[in-house]
Amino acid sequence: MLSQNLDWMISDEPVAYPEALEFMEKRVAEIRAGTAPEAVWLLEHPPLYTAGTSAKADDLLQPDRFPVYQAGRGGEYTYHGPGQRVAYVMLDLGKRGRDVRCYVRDLENWMIRALAQFGVKGERREGRVGIWVARGVGRDSTDMGVGREDKIGAIGVRVRHWITFHGISLNVDPDLSHFAGIVPCGISRYGVTSLWDLGLTPTMEEVDMALREAFSAQFDKPQDCFTNI
């Protein structure tokens, strides 16, 4: 199993964004050099916005609300803050097939599997990065004209010398009003939600357990990553 020796790290206190970037840079170099194992770091940040390499200036609606950081990852503007579980994933794709598209699909499936443990059906949408939840009576994944859908999980990745960093964020119980300062991921037609907003009340520890279990199920079994789960 590729992840048998993977380091799982959990930070109990919010981590400053520059500190997280510095750690990832160091760990990615160590993984490439063979001096440290792969790692997944679970944490929360204080309220902040990050700008990916495709971020548009007009999508930062309230530039003075929270600190804004250039992330260096793919994607557009994203909010991070308390109540949101961020997972920074540092894997060696050189040992995992060297397929970035498959890796992103694995991250999507990872969140979908974790959400399913709480009875939530997370779904992907063509042309929209992240994981979505369909809401409204009579709404299903094939009927695009009825009801509403909100984003519950975001993805932003970077790969250097086939080592990954950055990762995913899953909304557990963040202050959803904080997303109003940006156009999340450049998508203005849809809203954001969280597990608590959906009426579920898991602790962060319970979410962490679900993420660990789902990670093993997704990343440690030979499978076609492009098969829907």
Side-chain angles (χ1 to χ4, degrees), residues 10-168:
I10 301 177
S11 293
D12 295 327
E13 299 295 329
V15 177
Y17 196 72
E19 178 184 336
L21 288 181
E22 181 180 1
F23 176 88
M24 284 191 286
E25 291 279 354
K26 183 174 182 290
R27 189 58 173 252
V28 164
E30 291 171 343
I31 293 171
R32 187 186 182 212
T35 59
E38 298 175 312
V40 177
W41 185 13
L42 304 178
L43 59 106
E44 294 171 84
H45 285 303
L48 58 90
Y49 299 127
T50 66
T53 54
S54 301
K56 303 177 182 66
D58 289 346
D59 287 344
L60 182 59
L61 304 178
Q62 299 175 14
D64 298 324
R65 186 168 187 177
F66 299 125
V68 181
Y69 296 97
Q70 298 297 319
R73 54 157 174 79
E76 302 187 42
Y77 279 106
T78 299
Y79 167 76
H80 293 311
Q84 182 190 71
R85 181 49 96 206
V86 175
Y88 289 135
V89 185
M90 291 151 276
L91 301 182
D92 185 354
L93 293 189
K95 299 176 181 178
R96 296 173 177 269
R98 294 197 175 199
D99 189 329
V100 176
R101 288 179 65 244
C102 188
Y103 170 64
V104 172
R105 189 78 168 192
D106 278 334
L107 293 178
E108 292 172 341
N109 285 340
W110 178 28
M111 282 196 285
I112 290 170
R113 288 180 184 274
L115 288 168
Q117 295 184 46
F118 300 103
V120 174
K121 185 179 181 181
E123 300 176 285
R124 58 178 55 83
R125 289 288 181 261
E126 186 68 29
R128 282 191 262 140
V129 178
I131 298 302
W132 302 79
V133 176
R135 307 180 73 174
V137 177
R139 173 67 167 78
D140 65 28
S141 62
T142 61
D143 182 359
M144 300 300 293
V146 180
R148 85 182 227 227
E149 55 191 32
D150 295 330
K151 191 171 188 176
I152 195 169
I155 297 174
V157 303
R158 186 175 181 183
V159 179
R160 178 186 296 158
H161 302 298
W162 294 109
I163 311 299
T164 70
F165 51 130
H166 298 279
I168 68 168

Side-chain angles (χ1 to χ4, degrees), residues 59 79 147 172 190 203:
D59 287 344
Y79 167 76
V172 181
Y190 304 93
T203 64

